[in-house]
Amino acid sequence: MSKKIKYIDIFLIISVSNTVFFLLINYIKDGYCIRQTLLSWQNQFSDYFIPISMVFEPENVYKSNGLSPFPPFAYAFYRLLWMIIPTTDLTFADWKSFKYYENNLTVYLLYNVIQIILLTYITNKIINQESAEKRMFFLVSIAMSYPLFATSLQRGNSVLLTSIILIISFYLYEKNNFKREISYIFIAVAAGFKAYPAICGIQLIKEKRWPDVIRLLIYGLLLFFVPFIWFGGLDSFKTLLADYILRMRISEPRMSTFKGLAYFICTQYMNLTKDKSLEIAGIFSNIILILLLFSFFVTKIRWKEILFLSGILAAYIPSGWMYTSAYLLAPLLFFLRNNRNEKINITGFIYIFLFGFIFSLPYVLLSNPVYGMHGGIFLLITVLLITASVETIGKELSLNKM
């Protein structure tokens, strides 16, 4: 009797094949692809070492002219890491020296090992019905993918840690009352690192869990405001708030956002002026946001709820960059779990096909000299989100007419 093909099999075929093809081409071209992927990006590990090098004077963290974008809870975490190898001889401008100071790179390596261990643990929990071999190949393909290998780990951004925390929260949310309460705390912790994951709390609003909404709000406010005591107080809060407003208003339209993709199309293919392109790109970005939120509230499928929320985090935030693609790991895991026993259909194949290309190192997309790596990956992310939204809304409208 032939063994049934599952979605994880298709994902592994696409992801592993793309990555192997990328490495083969890289070998033939004497390392050119790896250099394009990593060495062309400056300031490696900067999003890890810059905040750590800033916290030796906690009260001055938010006096760095807009270069402190994280909530104070995140800097409390970086302060803990700084205390492992403390030094008061370095300043913010000298973060590269701090990177090579004593054993700091070793600590960064340990930090990433712990992240991978946590990711392995929660992955095994979510797709526990798959064989150990498939889970191993899945984790290797994820670790070697664009969102992790070529962005999150390369930059040292806390987006990977935040993603893992959110994945754990999504997993615990489906458990008993005590574990669900822990999931609320994890959402607050994720928002303490990046602020924007606070949007995941709208799951409680959708389900009309009003007492839970209040408790989550309390957790979030405590984790957000209390650390300001050590990081400059009310003045620092005003500075951070003003910085958020400024970033949302004048942020550069990067290829890793809905706004950036639309801006690129308007300028490159429609020959519109910069101002007109920015106007259209802003409208397009907000339309996608509304579409994702509407789809979130109408869908009854858990992995799609996670997809629509993760999509907002991955590509709507104007200041987002290439590493925000890591947020798509959560919906991928829950898609594989929710569809583990389902028969392969055309829509499911489209979803897993897009996930496979996003979580790989696809040379064809990387090699384009016009839109580069970021544009190719985030174009796939946008297609994935729009496809899921259209399918969800169409299906729900059809059911309502019956």
Side-chain angles (χ1 to χ4, degrees):
M1 185 176 179
S2 60
K3 194 173 182 179
K4 184 176 74 171
I5 296 178
K6 304 169 71 173
Y7 282 110
I8 192 171
D9 301 321
I10 299 174
F11 173 84
L12 291 174
I13 290 171
I14 296 171
S15 179
V16 174
S17 297
N18 281 341
T19 302
V20 170
F21 181 64
F22 169 85
L23 295 175
L24 178 61
I25 296 297
N26 179 72
Y27 184 82
I28 294 172
K29 292 195 171 187
D30 294 326
Y32 171 78
C33 301
I34 292 292
R35 287 195 296 273
Q36 289 294 102
T37 304
L38 294 179
L39 300 184
S40 62
W41 296 345
Q42 303 302 312
N43 302 330
Q44 290 165 335
F45 314 145
S46 59
D47 288 1
Y48 173 86
F49 285 104
I50 287 177
I52 295 180
S53 67
M54 294 171 64
V55 296
F56 71 98
E57 293 180 344
E59 67 278 5
N60 293 323
V61 164
Y62 289 100
K63 297 178 181 180
S64 56
N65 299 318
L67 293 176
S68 306
F70 307 126
F73 179 85
Y75 290 107
F77 173 75
Y78 288 123
R79 176 74 176 178
L80 177 64
L81 294 173
W82 176 86
M83 291 171 66
I84 296 175
I85 311 177
T87 175
T88 57
D89 299 329
L90 302 173
T91 64
F92 167 72
D94 199 22
W95 71 269
K96 292 182 181 179
S97 297
F98 182 78
K99 179 169 71 172
Y100 296 107
Y101 180 80
E102 292 190 359
N103 296 314
N104 278 350
L105 280 172
T106 303
V107 174
Y108 177 65
L109 175 63
L110 178 61
Y111 167 76
N112 282 313
V113 168
I114 293 173
Q115 287 191 105
I116 297 300
I117 291 173
L118 289 173
L119 179 59
T120 301
Y121 171 79
I122 193 60
T123 297
N124 288 334
K125 284 286 187 179
I126 294 173
I127 54 173
N128 60 346
Q129 289 193 354
E130 305 298 340
S131 67
E133 291 78 10
K134 286 184 181 180
R135 294 199 302 269
M136 180 195 70
F137 279 111
F138 175 83
L139 285 163
V140 170
S141 66
I142 292 298
M144 286 295 294
S145 69
Y146 167 88
L148 270 69
F149 170 69
T151 64
S152 304
L153 298 178
Q154 181 271 344
R155 188 75 176 189
N157 193 276
S158 60
V159 68
L160 176 57
L161 179 60
T162 305
S163 298
I164 294 170
I165 293 171
L166 284 176
I167 292 169
I168 295 173
S169 174
F170 293 144
Y171 173 75
L172 293 176
Y173 186 83
E174 301 172 354
K175 303 300 179 180
N176 59 38
N177 289 338
F178 174 74
K179 291 183 178 179
R180 175 168 287 184
E181 198 70 26
I182 299 299
S183 78
Y184 301 161
I185 296 175
F186 272 89
I187 292 175
V189 170
F193 275 102
K194 285 287 189 178
Y196 304 117
I199 195 175
C200 295
I202 66 173
Q203 179 75 56
L204 302 178
I205 296 176
K206 177 181 178 179
E207 298 177 6
K208 299 180 181 180
R209 297 176 178 271
W210 305 119
D212 293 15
V213 170
I214 294 173
R215 293 201 304 278
L216 175 59
L217 187 61
I218 292 173
Y219 296 147
L221 291 176
L222 285 175
L223 285 178
F224 185 83
F225 283 105
V226 171
F228 274 114
I229 296 173
W230 296 278
F231 292 94
L234 182 60
D235 290 339
S236 292
F237 167 70
K238 293 178 180 178
T239 301
L240 180 62
L241 182 61
D243 183 49
Y244 279 154
I245 295 173
L246 184 64
R247 285 171 180 267
M248 293 293 288
R249 185 166 58 87
I250 65 170
S251 58
E252 176 186 353
R254 296 167 172 169
M255 291 294 289
S256 53
T257 63
F258 300 135
K259 183 178 180 180
L261 286 171
Y263 177 79
F264 171 79
I265 293 172
C266 289
T267 54
Q268 295 294 319
Y269 296 105
M270 301 174 65
N271 296 319
L272 298 178
T273 63
K274 178 180 178 180
D275 290 341
K276 190 64 176 178
S277 297
L278 285 174
E279 180 184 350
I280 294 175
I283 294 172
F284 173 78
S285 179
N286 288 320
I287 289 175
I288 296 297
L289 173 64
I290 294 170
L291 181 66
L292 294 178
L293 287 173
F294 182 75
S295 301
F296 167 79
F297 277 100
V298 301
T299 188
K300 298 178 178 63
I301 300 174
R302 179 59 176 155
W303 81 266
K304 285 187 177 179
E305 290 179 336
I306 295 171
L307 173 66
F308 298 134
L309 293 177
S310 300
I312 295 171
L313 297 175
Y316 175 74
I317 308 304
S319 58
W321 208 11
M322 69 278 187
Y323 39 70
T324 54
S325 54
Y327 286 121
L328 270 293
L329 179 56
L332 168 59
L333 282 169
F334 283 88
F335 172 87
L336 293 174
R337 189 199 66 172
N338 290 12
N339 295 278
R340 57 180 174 259
N341 297 318
E342 297 294 323
K343 185 178 179 181
I344 306 296
N345 57 56
I346 185 62
T347 54
F349 180 82
I350 292 172
Y351 292 140
I352 203 63
F353 177 86
L354 292 169
F355 274 127
F357 268 87
I358 292 167
F359 284 95
S360 62
L361 287 174
Y363 176 75
V364 175
L365 294 175
L366 298 182
S367 63
N368 190 294
V370 179
Y371 57 69
M373 177 191 324
H374 309 327
I377 295 296
F378 279 87
L379 178 60
L380 291 178
I381 290 175
T382 304
V383 171
L384 171 65
L385 294 169
I386 292 177
T387 300
S389 292
V390 171
E391 192 236 347
T392 296
I393 294 171
K395 186 176 292 185
E396 290 299 325
L397 289 176
S398 298
L399 290 174
N400 289 336
K401 290 180 179 179
M402 293 177 63

